[in-house]
Amino acid sequence: MCWVTGGCFISAIENRKVPFLGSILEGTQAIFVDRGNPLSREHTLSEIRRRAKEAKDWPPLVIFPEGTTHNGKSLLHFKQGAFQPGVPVQPVIVRHHYKHMNVAWSGVTEGMLQAFKRITSQWYNSMSIEYLPMYFPTEAEQQNAQMYADHVRRYMSDKSGIPCSKYSIDDYQILLYASKFGIAQEDALVGMDLLRREAHLSINDIKKFINLFRELGADRKGKVSYESFIAALELPDTKLAQETFHKLHEVRTATHLDATASTSATTDSEDAPIAFRDFLRSIAFVTRNVTTAER
């Protein structure tokens, strides 16, 4: 890609220490980003804007808006960084062809050793690069980076036939972390992009809540009881707290108890534990970190 485009990349800061690869990235004036550091992200956005304004002084900037490469079965949520300057972009579809194992960086915990094993599992590796027509943003898209990113993703999906996913690389990172503690996949997919925009929560925040959830005594199925629920949120044991807990459980199971049954149901809290996703929703609600519409 570097040879074909003559451009430089945005790369994870970990790649800077990788032999040979790190030298190439530095030689091409790559921008390094620390995914877990909010200050690093702000610096990256600032640098993208600066290079876009001084385009004649810099090589083209090649950005993977999904934040990774993967199996190619869908397009993950696009990050805003590439679209912040509001300038035209050249969409490119990259496809990795393989017989035995996908050589793309399809797991955030894989590591270079596992990637090397995949690359050497077949006699040769190939990839195809498809250049789509330039995308020129509208005035509205220039003022709204998220709108711009979403529209370009839809444009690339329509042109390539690759469907859009509602999840992002951040959701995958949370999924891998939660799986270490026995939290089910459907409960670990929390929608990080919405949480970041509406509740101002970061990946590190979600990991802390996962740790708290486990400390509260979640069972082997990744569920937590009513007693642990009110203890975590520092709520008194009241009828309102009981109803809130069980309404979360009702939403999850898509069952609606009538008014007379709900009172008796609240007395048997151990039979209806809630999962991590419900627990996280409760924290966002109680702390009032989300908008009225989202609540």
Side-chain angles (χ1 to χ4, degrees):
M1 280 287 289
C2 182
W3 179 79
V4 172
T5 64
C8 57
F9 294 84
I10 291 181
S11 178
I13 196 169
E14 295 85 1
N15 293 333
R16 197 170 199 166
K17 299 179 180 180
V18 177
F20 187 66
L21 176 61
S23 299
I24 292 178
L25 291 171
E26 289 189 343
T28 56
Q29 304 180 83
I31 300 174
F32 294 97
V33 58
D34 182 355
R35 289 172 175 168
N37 187 345
L39 295 179
S40 178
R41 293 188 179 193
E42 289 300 320
H43 169 74
T44 301
L45 291 176
S46 177
E47 186 64 13
I48 290 174
R49 296 190 191 99
R50 185 174 75 87
R51 294 194 184 190
K53 293 180 180 179
E54 303 172 1
K56 294 182 180 180
D57 301 326
W58 296 95
L61 190 56
V62 182
I63 300 177
F64 290 81
E66 295 169 294
T68 187
T69 57
H70 51 84
N71 59 21
K73 294 182 179 180
S74 64
L75 292 176
L76 298 178
H77 184 87
F78 279 12
K79 296 180 179 293
Q80 298 183 26
F83 310 95
Q84 286 283 354
V87 298
V89 295
Q90 169 72 74
V92 178
I93 301 292
V94 178
R95 292 184 173 90
H96 296 272
H97 306 288
Y98 60 95
K99 183 177 181 180
H100 301 296
M101 300 183 74
N102 186 2
V103 300
W105 191 271
S106 56
V108 295
T109 63
E110 287 281 354
M112 290 300 297
L113 179 59
Q114 291 299 323
F116 179 76
K117 288 181 179 179
R118 290 206 305 270
I119 291 173
T120 56
S121 68
Q122 46 205 13
W123 289 109
Y124 66 91
N125 299 286
S126 64
M127 61 183 287
S128 62
I129 302 175
E130 178 184 357
Y131 288 86
L132 302 181
M134 289 279 291
Y135 189 101
F136 295 87
T138 64
E139 184 174 345
E141 290 170 341
Q142 291 176 353
Q143 301 301 319
N144 189 326
Q146 189 59 62
M147 177 193 295
Y148 190 6
D150 292 341
H151 289 180
V152 170
R153 186 171 74 130
R154 175 55 61 187
Y155 171 74
M156 295 177 70
S157 175
D158 292 341
K159 292 290 185 180
S160 65
I162 302 174
C164 291
S165 170
K166 62 181 180 180
Y167 299 112
S168 68
I169 182 60
D170 294 338
D171 287 298
Y172 184 52
Q173 290 179 309
I174 293 297
L175 177 63
L176 290 179
Y177 187 79
S179 66
K180 298 177 182 179
F181 304 100
I183 296 177
Q185 177 174 313
E186 62 269 21
D187 296 321
L189 291 172
V190 295
M192 271 305 305
D193 291 292
L194 178 63
L195 286 173
R196 182 177 287 112
R197 292 198 305 268
E198 301 292 345
H200 310 292
L201 295 174
S202 67
I203 291 180
N204 290 335
D205 291 329
I206 304 302
K207 288 182 178 180
K208 290 178 181 178
F209 290 137
I210 291 175
N211 293 334
L212 175 60
F213 186 71
R214 291 299 299 168
E215 290 172 2
L216 291 175
D219 61 25
R220 292 182 179 181
K221 295 182 179 180
K223 307 292 180 63
V224 71
S225 66
Y226 167 72
E227 287 74 14
S228 298
F229 170 78
I230 60 175
L233 301 181
E234 299 180 351
L235 297 175
D237 183 8
T238 63
K239 183 178 180 179
L240 177 60
Q242 294 172 4
E243 290 176 349
T244 300
F245 178 85
H246 285 283
K247 283 181 179 178
L248 285 170
H249 184 265
E250 289 168 16
V251 169
R252 176 178 176 77
T253 57
T255 60
H256 299 280
L257 302 177
D258 58 38
T260 57
S262 62
T263 303
S264 59
T266 57
T267 62
D268 192 6
S269 59
E270 291 298 333
D271 292 336
I274 63 171
F276 173 70
R277 190 167 184 164
D278 309 312
F279 176 72
L280 182 62
R281 185 185 297 121
S282 304
I283 291 177
F285 176 80
V286 173
T287 57
R288 302 299 193 270
N289 280 335
V290 295
T291 63
T292 301
E294 182 62 20
R295 287 201 294 273

